[in-house]
Amino acid sequence: MPKIGMEPIRRASLIKATIAEIGNVGSLEVTVSRIAKRAGMSSALAHHYFGSKEAMFMAAMRHVLTVYGAEVRGALAAADGPEARVRAVIRASFSTSNFRREVISAWLNFYVLAQTRDEARRLLAVYQRRLVSNLTHGLRPLIGARAAQVACSIAVMIDGAYLHAALSETPNATRAVGRVEDYLTLALNAG
Amino acid sequence: MPKIGMEPIRRASLIKATIAEIGNVGSLEVTVSRIAKRAGMSSALAHHYFGSKEAMFMAAMRHVLTVYGAEVRGALAAADGPEARVRAVIRASFSTSNFRREVISAWLNFYVLAQTRDEARRLLAVYQRRLVSNLTHGLRPLIGARAAQVACSIAVMIDGAYLHAALSETPNATRAVGRVEDYLTLALNAG
DNA sequence: GATCGTTTATTGACTAGTCAATCAACAAAA
DNA sequence: TTTTGTTGATTGACTAGTCAATAAACGATC
Protein backbone atom coordinates (compact mmCIF):
# COMPACT_ATOMS: atom_id res chain seq x y z
CA MET A 1 0.00 0.00 0.00
CA PRO A 2 2.20 2.79 -1.27
CA LYS A 3 1.62 6.17 0.30
CA ILE A 4 2.91 9.41 -1.06
CA GLY A 5 5.62 11.52 0.51
CA MET A 6 7.42 8.48 1.83
CA GLU A 7 10.90 9.48 0.72
CA PRO A 8 11.94 11.58 3.73
CA ILE A 9 10.38 9.08 6.12
CA ARG A 10 12.12 6.14 4.47
CA ARG A 11 15.44 7.93 4.34
CA ALA A 12 15.24 8.84 8.03
CA SER A 13 14.31 5.28 8.97
CA LEU A 14 17.17 3.90 6.93
CA ILE A 15 19.69 6.30 8.44
CA LYS A 16 18.55 5.41 11.93
CA ALA A 17 18.66 1.70 11.13
CA THR A 18 22.10 2.02 9.57
CA ILE A 19 23.51 3.59 12.71
CA ALA A 20 21.80 1.01 14.91
CA GLU A 21 23.09 -1.86 12.81
CA ILE A 22 26.66 -0.53 12.75
CA GLY A 23 26.46 -0.24 16.51
CA ASN A 24 25.21 -3.79 16.75
CA VAL A 25 27.88 -5.36 14.59
CA GLY A 26 30.61 -2.91 15.55
CA SER A 27 31.88 -2.54 12.01
CA LEU A 28 30.82 -1.63 8.50
CA GLU A 29 30.37 -5.29 7.69
CA VAL A 30 26.64 -4.91 7.89
CA THR A 31 24.29 -5.99 5.14
CA VAL A 32 21.85 -3.79 3.34
CA SER A 33 19.21 -6.47 3.91
CA ARG A 34 19.56 -6.28 7.68
CA ILE A 35 19.46 -2.51 7.67
CA ALA A 36 16.39 -2.50 5.45
CA LYS A 37 14.68 -5.16 7.54
CA ARG A 38 15.30 -3.15 10.70
CA ALA A 39 13.84 -0.12 8.95
CA GLY A 40 10.81 -2.17 7.90
CA MET A 41 11.30 -2.40 4.17
CA SER A 42 12.96 -4.47 1.47
CA SER A 43 16.61 -4.11 0.58
CA ALA A 44 15.60 -3.06 -2.91
CA LEU A 45 13.92 0.01 -1.49
CA ALA A 46 17.06 0.93 0.42
CA HIS A 47 18.98 0.81 -2.84
CA HIS A 48 16.25 2.81 -4.50
CA TYR A 49 16.65 5.68 -2.05
CA PHE A 50 20.39 5.66 -1.48
CA GLY A 51 21.84 3.97 -4.53
CA SER A 52 24.55 2.12 -2.65
CA LYS A 53 25.60 0.84 0.72
CA GLU A 54 28.36 3.41 1.01
CA ALA A 55 25.95 6.25 0.38
CA MET A 56 23.94 4.96 3.32
CA PHE A 57 27.03 5.07 5.54
CA MET A 58 27.83 8.59 4.51
CA ALA A 59 24.29 9.76 5.12
CA ALA A 60 24.35 8.10 8.53
CA MET A 61 27.58 9.79 9.47
CA ARG A 62 26.37 13.12 8.22
CA HIS A 63 23.38 12.67 10.51
CA VAL A 64 25.60 11.95 13.50
CA LEU A 65 27.60 15.08 12.76
CA THR A 66 24.43 17.14 12.35
CA VAL A 67 23.13 16.07 15.75
CA TYR A 68 26.51 16.79 17.31
CA GLY A 69 26.64 20.20 15.63
CA ALA A 70 23.21 21.06 16.98
CA GLU A 71 24.29 20.09 20.47
CA VAL A 72 27.34 22.30 20.24
CA ARG A 73 25.29 25.26 19.04
CA GLY A 74 22.79 24.73 21.83
CA ALA A 75 25.51 24.57 24.45
CA LEU A 76 27.18 27.67 23.02
CA ALA A 77 23.94 29.64 23.12
CA ALA A 78 23.45 28.80 26.79
CA ALA A 79 27.04 29.67 27.75
CA ASP A 80 27.87 32.93 29.46
CA GLY A 81 31.25 34.41 28.62
CA PRO A 82 34.27 33.15 26.68
CA GLU A 83 35.54 30.55 29.14
CA ALA A 84 32.05 29.09 29.56
CA ARG A 85 31.82 28.83 25.79
CA VAL A 86 35.04 26.86 25.57
CA ARG A 87 33.90 24.54 28.33
CA ALA A 88 30.54 24.15 26.61
CA VAL A 89 32.19 22.96 23.41
CA ILE A 90 34.29 20.49 25.35
CA ARG A 91 31.35 19.14 27.28
CA ALA A 92 29.17 18.82 24.19
CA SER A 93 31.83 16.56 22.66
CA PHE A 94 31.27 14.13 25.51
CA SER A 95 27.50 14.36 25.69
CA THR A 96 25.57 11.21 26.41
CA SER A 97 24.32 11.11 22.83
CA ASN A 98 27.92 10.96 21.63
CA PHE A 99 28.58 8.09 24.02
CA ARG A 100 25.86 5.77 22.83
CA ARG A 101 27.44 2.59 21.64
CA GLU A 102 26.23 2.93 18.07
CA VAL A 103 27.55 6.49 17.82
CA ILE A 104 30.95 5.41 19.11
CA SER A 105 30.92 2.65 16.53
CA ALA A 106 29.99 5.10 13.80
CA TRP A 107 32.88 7.36 14.74
CA LEU A 108 35.49 4.62 14.85
CA ASN A 109 34.39 3.24 11.51
CA PHE A 110 34.28 6.74 10.12
CA TYR A 111 37.96 7.09 10.95
CA VAL A 112 38.65 3.87 9.08
CA LEU A 113 36.66 5.07 6.10
CA ALA A 114 38.42 8.43 6.08
CA GLN A 115 41.64 6.69 5.11
CA THR A 116 40.41 5.70 1.69
CA ARG A 117 37.27 7.70 0.84
CA ASP A 118 37.78 11.32 0.02
CA GLU A 119 34.20 12.18 0.89
CA ALA A 120 34.62 10.82 4.41
CA ARG A 121 37.96 12.57 4.77
CA ARG A 122 36.48 15.87 3.70
CA LEU A 123 33.57 15.50 6.10
CA LEU A 124 35.98 14.76 8.92
CA ALA A 125 38.05 17.81 8.03
CA VAL A 126 34.94 20.01 8.12
CA TYR A 127 34.05 18.73 11.58
CA GLN A 128 37.58 19.30 12.84
CA ARG A 129 37.83 22.81 11.44
CA ARG A 130 34.51 23.76 13.01
CA LEU A 131 35.62 22.39 16.35
CA VAL A 132 38.91 24.30 16.28
CA SER A 133 37.13 27.43 15.11
CA ASN A 134 34.61 27.27 17.95
CA LEU A 135 37.38 26.77 20.47
CA THR A 136 39.54 29.52 19.03
CA HIS A 137 36.74 32.10 19.19
CA GLY A 138 36.16 31.31 22.83
CA LEU A 139 39.85 31.37 23.68
CA ARG A 140 40.84 34.56 21.84
CA PRO A 141 39.54 37.00 24.51
CA LEU A 142 41.27 34.91 27.16
CA ILE A 143 44.74 34.28 25.76
CA GLY A 144 44.94 36.28 22.53
CA ALA A 145 47.46 35.04 20.00
CA ARG A 146 47.96 31.69 21.71
CA ALA A 147 44.29 30.86 21.08
CA ALA A 148 44.79 29.05 17.75
CA GLN A 149 47.56 26.86 19.10
CA VAL A 150 45.71 25.96 22.29
CA ALA A 151 42.48 25.31 20.35
CA CYS A 152 44.28 22.75 18.21
CA SER A 153 45.68 21.05 21.27
CA ILE A 154 42.28 20.89 22.89
CA ALA A 155 40.81 19.43 19.71
CA VAL A 156 43.49 16.77 19.68
CA MET A 157 42.88 16.06 23.35
CA ILE A 158 39.13 15.75 22.82
CA ASP A 159 39.63 13.12 20.14
CA GLY A 160 42.19 11.26 22.23
CA ALA A 161 40.05 11.32 25.34
CA TYR A 162 37.02 10.22 23.35
CA LEU A 163 38.96 7.30 21.92
CA HIS A 164 40.27 6.27 25.33
CA ALA A 165 36.91 6.56 27.01
CA ALA A 166 35.09 4.77 24.21
CA LEU A 167 37.43 1.79 24.30
CA SER A 168 37.96 1.52 28.05
CA GLU A 169 36.23 -1.27 29.94
CA THR A 170 34.15 1.30 31.81
CA PRO A 171 33.43 4.25 29.51
CA ASN A 172 33.34 7.34 31.67
CA ALA A 173 32.52 10.61 29.99
CA THR A 174 33.03 12.64 33.17
CA ARG A 175 36.62 11.55 33.55
CA ALA A 176 37.30 12.32 29.91
CA VAL A 177 35.81 15.81 30.22
CA GLY A 178 37.86 16.35 33.37
CA ARG A 179 41.07 15.52 31.58
CA VAL A 180 40.45 18.02 28.80
CA GLU A 181 39.31 20.69 31.23
CA ASP A 182 42.46 20.16 33.30
CA TYR A 183 44.47 20.94 30.21
CA LEU A 184 42.36 24.02 29.57
CA THR A 185 42.98 25.29 33.09
CA LEU A 186 46.68 24.64 32.66
CA ALA A 187 46.77 26.51 29.36
CA LEU A 188 44.77 29.46 30.70
CA ASN A 189 47.04 29.89 33.75
CA ALA A 190 50.21 29.74 31.67
CA GLY A 191 49.94 33.22 30.24
CA MET B 1 58.91 -29.67 -2.80
CA PRO B 2 58.10 -29.30 0.86
CA LYS B 3 60.97 -28.27 3.07
CA ILE B 4 60.99 -28.69 6.81
CA GLY B 5 61.03 -25.87 9.32
CA MET B 6 58.77 -23.73 7.17
CA GLU B 7 56.30 -22.85 9.91
CA PRO B 8 58.06 -19.78 11.34
CA ILE B 9 58.91 -18.52 7.86
CA ARG B 10 55.35 -18.98 6.62
CA ARG B 11 53.87 -17.35 9.70
CA ALA B 12 56.16 -14.35 9.34
CA SER B 13 55.34 -14.02 5.65
CA LEU B 14 51.63 -14.21 6.37
CA ILE B 15 51.81 -11.60 9.13
CA LYS B 16 53.71 -9.26 6.87
CA ALA B 17 51.28 -9.86 4.02
CA THR B 18 48.29 -9.36 6.31
CA ILE B 19 49.55 -5.94 7.40
CA ALA B 20 50.37 -4.98 3.83
CA GLU B 21 46.97 -6.06 2.60
CA ILE B 22 45.11 -4.23 5.35
CA GLY B 23 47.10 -1.14 4.46
CA ASN B 24 46.18 -1.58 0.83
CA VAL B 25 42.47 -1.98 1.33
CA GLY B 26 42.29 0.26 4.37
CA SER B 27 39.98 -2.06 6.27
CA LEU B 28 39.65 -5.59 7.53
CA GLU B 29 37.63 -6.51 4.45
CA VAL B 30 40.58 -8.35 3.01
CA THR B 31 40.40 -11.91 1.80
CA VAL B 32 42.52 -14.76 3.03
CA SER B 33 43.21 -15.64 -0.59
CA ARG B 34 44.74 -12.28 -1.34
CA ILE B 35 46.87 -12.35 1.79
CA ALA B 36 48.05 -15.86 1.01
CA LYS B 37 48.76 -14.96 -2.60
CA ARG B 38 50.83 -11.97 -1.51
CA ALA B 39 52.72 -14.25 0.86
CA GLY B 40 53.31 -16.70 -1.98
CA MET B 41 51.19 -19.65 -0.90
CA SER B 42 47.71 -21.08 -1.12
CA SER B 43 44.89 -19.91 1.10
CA ALA B 44 44.61 -23.41 2.52
CA LEU B 45 48.09 -23.08 3.93
CA ALA B 46 47.21 -19.81 5.61
CA HIS B 47 44.30 -21.56 7.28
CA HIS B 48 46.58 -24.43 8.19
CA TYR B 49 48.94 -22.15 10.11
CA PHE B 50 46.51 -19.67 11.65
CA GLY B 51 43.19 -21.46 11.75
CA SER B 52 41.12 -18.40 10.93
CA LYS B 53 41.19 -14.98 9.40
CA GLU B 54 40.74 -13.30 12.75
CA ALA B 55 43.71 -15.15 14.20
CA MET B 56 45.75 -13.69 11.38
CA PHE B 57 44.60 -10.18 12.27
CA MET B 58 45.46 -10.65 15.90
CA ALA B 59 48.90 -12.03 15.08
CA ALA B 60 49.49 -9.09 12.76
CA MET B 61 48.50 -6.57 15.40
CA ARG B 62 50.61 -8.32 18.02
CA HIS B 63 53.52 -7.95 15.63
CA VAL B 64 52.90 -4.22 15.20
CA LEU B 65 52.80 -3.82 18.97
CA THR B 66 55.98 -5.86 19.39
CA VAL B 67 57.87 -3.66 16.94
CA TYR B 68 56.56 -0.56 18.67
CA GLY B 69 57.52 -1.93 22.08
CA ALA B 70 61.03 -2.64 20.88
CA GLU B 71 61.34 0.91 19.58
CA VAL B 72 60.24 2.32 22.91
CA ARG B 73 62.73 0.17 24.80
CA GLY B 74 65.50 1.21 22.45
CA ALA B 75 64.66 4.88 22.84
CA LEU B 76 64.47 4.53 26.62
CA ALA B 77 67.86 2.86 26.79
CA ALA B 78 69.43 5.70 24.84
CA ALA B 79 67.78 8.41 26.94
CA ASP B 80 69.71 10.27 29.60
CA GLY B 81 67.70 11.35 32.64
CA PRO B 82 63.98 11.35 33.48
CA GLU B 83 62.83 14.13 31.17
CA ALA B 84 64.73 12.65 28.24
CA ARG B 85 63.03 9.34 28.95
CA VAL B 86 59.59 10.89 28.80
CA ARG B 87 60.43 12.63 25.55
CA ALA B 88 61.85 9.39 24.17
CA VAL B 89 58.57 7.57 24.80
CA ILE B 90 56.63 10.37 23.13
CA ARG B 91 58.91 10.44 20.12
CA ALA B 92 58.87 6.66 19.72
CA SER B 93 55.08 6.81 19.43
CA PHE B 94 55.48 8.95 16.33
CA SER B 95 58.36 7.07 14.76
CA THR B 96 58.40 6.68 11.00
CA SER B 97 57.58 2.99 11.34
CA ASN B 98 54.38 3.91 13.19
CA PHE B 99 53.47 6.28 10.37
CA ARG B 100 53.65 3.84 7.51
CA ARG B 101 50.27 3.70 5.87
CA GLU B 102 49.70 0.04 6.60
CA VAL B 103 50.55 0.51 10.28
CA ILE B 104 48.12 3.41 10.56
CA SER B 105 45.50 1.24 8.94
CA ALA B 106 46.23 -1.59 11.35
CA TRP B 107 45.83 0.75 14.32
CA LEU B 108 42.54 2.24 13.16
CA ASN B 109 41.06 -1.16 12.42
CA PHE B 110 42.39 -2.42 15.71
CA TYR B 111 40.33 0.24 17.46
CA VAL B 112 37.27 -0.94 15.59
CA LEU B 113 37.98 -4.54 16.52
CA ALA B 114 38.52 -3.65 20.16
CA GLN B 115 34.86 -2.74 20.44
CA THR B 116 33.66 -6.27 20.00
CA ARG B 117 36.58 -8.68 20.48
CA ASP B 118 37.77 -9.15 24.01
CA GLU B 119 41.17 -10.34 22.85
CA ALA B 120 41.73 -7.12 20.91
CA ARG B 121 40.46 -5.05 23.82
CA ARG B 122 42.81 -6.78 26.23
CA LEU B 123 45.76 -6.28 23.91
CA LEU B 124 44.93 -2.60 23.61
CA ALA B 125 44.67 -2.27 27.39
CA VAL B 126 48.09 -3.88 27.79
CA TYR B 127 49.62 -1.42 25.36
CA GLN B 128 47.99 1.54 27.08
CA ARG B 129 49.05 0.45 30.56
CA ARG B 130 52.62 0.01 29.41
CA LEU B 131 52.61 3.45 27.84
CA VAL B 132 51.25 5.11 30.97
CA SER B 133 53.66 3.15 33.14
CA ASN B 134 56.65 4.22 31.07
CA LEU B 135 55.55 7.83 31.21
CA THR B 136 54.83 7.73 34.94
CA HIS B 137 58.26 6.35 35.77
CA GLY B 138 59.92 9.12 33.85
CA LEU B 139 57.69 11.80 35.35
CA ARG B 140 57.87 10.73 39.01
CA PRO B 141 61.29 12.28 39.74
CA LEU B 142 60.15 15.48 38.03
CA ILE B 143 56.71 16.14 39.47
CA GLY B 144 56.17 13.50 42.16
CA ALA B 145 52.55 12.71 42.93
CA ARG B 146 51.20 14.45 39.84
CA ALA B 147 53.08 11.97 37.65
CA ALA B 148 50.26 9.45 37.28
CA GLN B 149 47.72 12.09 36.29
CA VAL B 150 50.00 13.81 33.81
CA ALA B 151 51.08 10.46 32.35
CA CYS B 152 47.46 9.62 31.58
CA SER B 153 46.94 12.98 29.93
CA ILE B 154 50.03 12.54 27.80
CA ALA B 155 48.87 9.08 26.77
CA VAL B 156 45.51 10.51 25.75
CA MET B 157 47.24 13.28 23.85
CA ILE B 158 49.52 10.85 22.04
CA ASP B 159 46.54 8.86 20.76
CA GLY B 160 44.66 12.01 19.79
CA ALA B 161 47.65 13.50 17.99
CA TYR B 162 48.31 10.20 16.25
CA LEU B 163 44.73 10.06 15.04
CA HIS B 164 44.80 13.64 13.81
CA ALA B 165 48.11 13.26 12.06
CA ALA B 166 47.18 9.93 10.51
CA LEU B 167 43.97 11.30 9.01
CA SER B 168 45.14 14.75 7.99
CA GLU B 169 45.76 15.45 4.32
CA THR B 170 49.46 15.90 5.02
CA PRO B 171 50.50 13.55 7.83
CA ASN B 172 53.18 15.31 9.81
CA ALA B 173 54.75 13.42 12.67
CA THR B 174 56.91 16.36 13.74
CA ARG B 175 53.95 18.64 14.35
CA ALA B 176 52.21 15.89 16.32
CA VAL B 177 55.26 15.34 18.51
CA GLY B 178 55.53 19.09 19.04
CA ARG B 179 51.97 19.29 20.28
CA VAL B 180 52.48 16.59 22.87
CA GLU B 181 55.83 18.02 23.94
CA ASP B 182 54.23 21.44 24.37
CA TYR B 183 51.80 19.90 26.78
CA LEU B 184 54.67 18.20 28.61
CA THR B 185 56.49 21.51 29.00
CA LEU B 186 53.32 23.13 30.29
CA ALA B 187 52.75 20.36 32.81
CA LEU B 188 56.35 20.39 34.03
CA ASN B 189 56.34 24.16 34.58
CA ALA B 190 53.05 24.12 36.47
CA GLY B 191 54.46 22.74 39.70
C1' DG C 1 72.02 -48.39 4.36
C1' DA C 2 67.61 -50.14 3.00
C1' DT C 3 62.84 -50.24 4.58
C1' DC C 4 58.70 -48.32 6.44
C1' DG C 5 55.65 -45.78 9.27
C1' DT C 6 55.16 -40.90 10.89
C1' DT C 7 55.24 -36.14 10.73
C1' DT C 8 55.24 -31.80 8.21
C1' DA C 9 54.30 -29.08 4.12
C1' DT C 10 51.30 -28.12 0.50
C1' DT C 11 47.59 -27.58 -2.75
C1' DG C 12 43.35 -27.90 -5.90
C1' DA C 13 38.90 -28.65 -5.66
C1' DC C 14 34.91 -28.18 -3.20
C1' DT C 15 31.12 -26.80 0.17
C1' DA C 16 27.93 -23.99 1.63
C1' DG C 17 26.90 -19.73 2.28
C1' DT C 18 26.98 -14.57 1.66
C1' DC C 19 25.90 -10.21 -0.45
C1' DA C 20 25.22 -5.84 -3.38
C1' DA C 21 22.82 -4.54 -6.97
C1' DT C 22 19.28 -5.10 -10.71
C1' DC C 23 14.86 -5.68 -12.73
C1' DA C 24 10.40 -6.74 -13.98
C1' DA C 25 6.16 -6.10 -12.22
C1' DC C 26 2.55 -4.42 -9.42
C1' DA C 27 -0.11 -0.73 -6.75
C1' DA C 28 -1.68 3.60 -5.63
C1' DA C 29 -1.86 8.82 -6.46
C1' DA C 30 -2.09 12.71 -9.21
C1' DT D 1 -1.28 7.72 -17.68
C1' DT D 2 2.53 9.29 -15.67
C1' DT D 3 4.85 9.48 -11.44
C1' DT D 4 6.05 7.49 -7.04
C1' DG D 5 6.42 3.64 -3.96
C1' DT D 6 7.37 -1.10 -3.38
C1' DT D 7 8.82 -5.89 -3.54
C1' DG D 8 10.16 -10.85 -4.73
C1' DA D 9 13.10 -13.02 -7.38
C1' DT D 10 17.30 -13.25 -9.50
C1' DT D 11 22.03 -12.55 -10.84
C1' DG D 12 26.70 -12.76 -10.69
C1' DA D 13 30.42 -12.58 -8.06
C1' DC D 14 32.86 -13.58 -4.02
C1' DT D 15 34.36 -15.94 0.48
C1' DA D 16 35.87 -18.60 4.74
C1' DG D 17 36.90 -22.77 5.80
C1' DT D 18 37.34 -28.04 4.80
C1' DC D 19 39.29 -32.11 2.93
C1' DA D 20 41.40 -35.61 0.46
C1' DA D 21 45.47 -36.36 -1.68
C1' DT D 22 50.43 -35.83 -2.62
C1' DA D 23 55.16 -35.42 -1.56
C1' DA D 24 59.24 -34.67 0.85
C1' DA D 25 61.90 -35.28 5.15
C1' DC D 26 62.59 -37.71 9.50
C1' DG D 27 63.47 -41.46 12.51
C1' DA D 28 63.54 -45.89 14.05
C1' DT D 29 64.48 -50.69 13.09
C1' DC D 30 66.64 -54.33 11.06
Side-chain angles (χ1 to χ4, degrees):
Chain A
M1 51 273 187
K3 301 154 214 162
I4 67 147
M6 291 303 282
E7 176 153 1
I9 297 169
R10 293 301 199 190
R11 289 184 94 95
S13 301
L14 281 168
I15 285 173
K16 213 176 141 190
T18 302
I19 296 169
E21 205 61 30
I22 290 174
N24 236 32
V25 179
S27 77
L28 298 185
E29 284 164 45
V30 296
T31 69
V32 176
S33 297
R34 285 189 66 87
I35 294 172
K37 188 175 209 176
R38 187 188 279 263
M41 71 195 80
S42 74
S43 67
L45 198 50
H47 276 105
H48 173 66
Y49 282 125
F50 282 98
S52 76
K53 190 163 120 168
E54 198 173 321
M56 292 170 74
F57 290 155
M58 289 307 301
M61 199 61 217
R62 242 178 253 116
H63 179 255
V64 168
L65 287 175
T66 301
V67 170
Y68 169 63
E71 273 180 355
V72 169
R73 273 196 303 281
L76 278 176
D80 187 27
E83 187 171 336
R85 281 223 283 282
V86 175
R87 288 182 195 276
V89 172
I90 293 172
R91 248 167 296 160
S93 300
F94 298 95
S95 70
T96 49
S97 77
N98 265 332
F99 263 86
R100 294 207 322 270
R101 186 159 47 88
E102 61 266 32
V103 176
I104 290 174
S105 215
W107 271 105
L108 295 183
N109 284 287
F110 185 49
Y111 289 142
V112 168
L113 215 57
Q115 291 174 101
T116 50
R117 308 299 151 146
D118 276 358
E119 200 184 345
R121 182 181 289 239
R122 273 195 298 272
L123 198 55
L124 184 61
V126 167
Y127 145 78
Q128 281 173 344
R129 268 197 295 274
R130 223 165 35 199
L131 177 59
V132 170
S133 162
N134 281 331
L135 291 168
T136 306
H137 278 89
L139 288 166
R140 185 97 59 198
L142 300 170
I143 52 173
R146 282 173 52 235
Q149 183 86 333
V150 171
C152 278
S153 288
I154 291 178
V156 162
M157 202 138 192
I158 286 174
D159 285 5
Y162 184 77
L163 197 62
H164 266 234
L167 294 178
S168 76
E169 307 78 24
T170 54
N172 184 333
T174 314
R175 201 188 321 149
V177 171
R179 207 169 292 294
V180 182
E181 289 195 320
D182 281 355
Y183 169 73
L184 173 64
T185 308
L186 211 58
L188 291 181
N189 294 340
Chain B
M1 51 274 182
K3 301 155 213 160
I4 68 148
M6 290 306 281
E7 175 153 1
I9 297 168
R10 293 302 199 189
R11 290 185 94 96
S13 301
L14 281 168
I15 286 173
K16 212 176 144 190
T18 302
I19 296 170
E21 205 60 29
I22 291 174
N24 237 33
V25 179
S27 77
L28 298 184
E29 284 164 46
V30 295
T31 69
V32 176
S33 298
R34 285 189 65 87
I35 294 171
K37 189 175 208 173
R38 186 188 278 263
M41 70 195 81
S42 74
S43 68
L45 198 51
H47 276 105
H48 172 65
Y49 282 124
F50 281 99
S52 76
K53 190 164 120 165
E54 198 174 319
M56 292 170 74
F57 290 154
M58 289 307 301
M61 199 60 216
R62 242 177 254 117
H63 180 255
V64 168
L65 286 175
T66 300
V67 170
Y68 169 63
E71 273 180 355
V72 170
R73 273 197 302 282
L76 277 176
D80 188 26
E83 186 171 336
R85 280 224 282 283
V86 175
R87 288 184 195 275
V89 172
I90 293 172
R91 247 166 298 160
S93 300
F94 297 96
S95 69
T96 48
S97 78
N98 265 332
F99 264 85
R100 294 208 321 269
R101 185 160 47 90
E102 63 266 31
V103 175
I104 290 174
S105 213
W107 270 106
L108 295 183
N109 284 289
F110 186 47
Y111 290 142
V112 167
L113 214 57
Q115 291 175 101
T116 51
R117 308 299 151 144
D118 276 358
E119 200 184 345
R121 182 179 290 238
R122 273 196 298 273
L123 199 55
L124 184 61
V126 167
Y127 144 78
Q128 281 172 343
R129 268 197 295 276
R130 225 168 29 201
L131 176 59
V132 170
S133 161
N134 280 332
L135 290 168
T136 307
H137 277 89
L139 288 167
R140 186 94 61 195
L142 301 170
I143 53 174
R146 283 173 52 235
Q149 184 86 336
V150 172
C152 278
S153 289
I154 291 178
V156 162
M157 202 137 195
I158 286 175
D159 285 5
Y162 184 77
L163 198 63
H164 267 235
L167 295 178
S168 77
E169 307 78 24
T170 54
N172 184 333
T174 313
R175 200 186 323 147
V177 171
R179 205 167 295 292
V180 182
E181 289 196 320
D182 281 355
Y183 169 73
L184 175 63
T185 308
L186 211 59
L188 290 182
N189 294 341

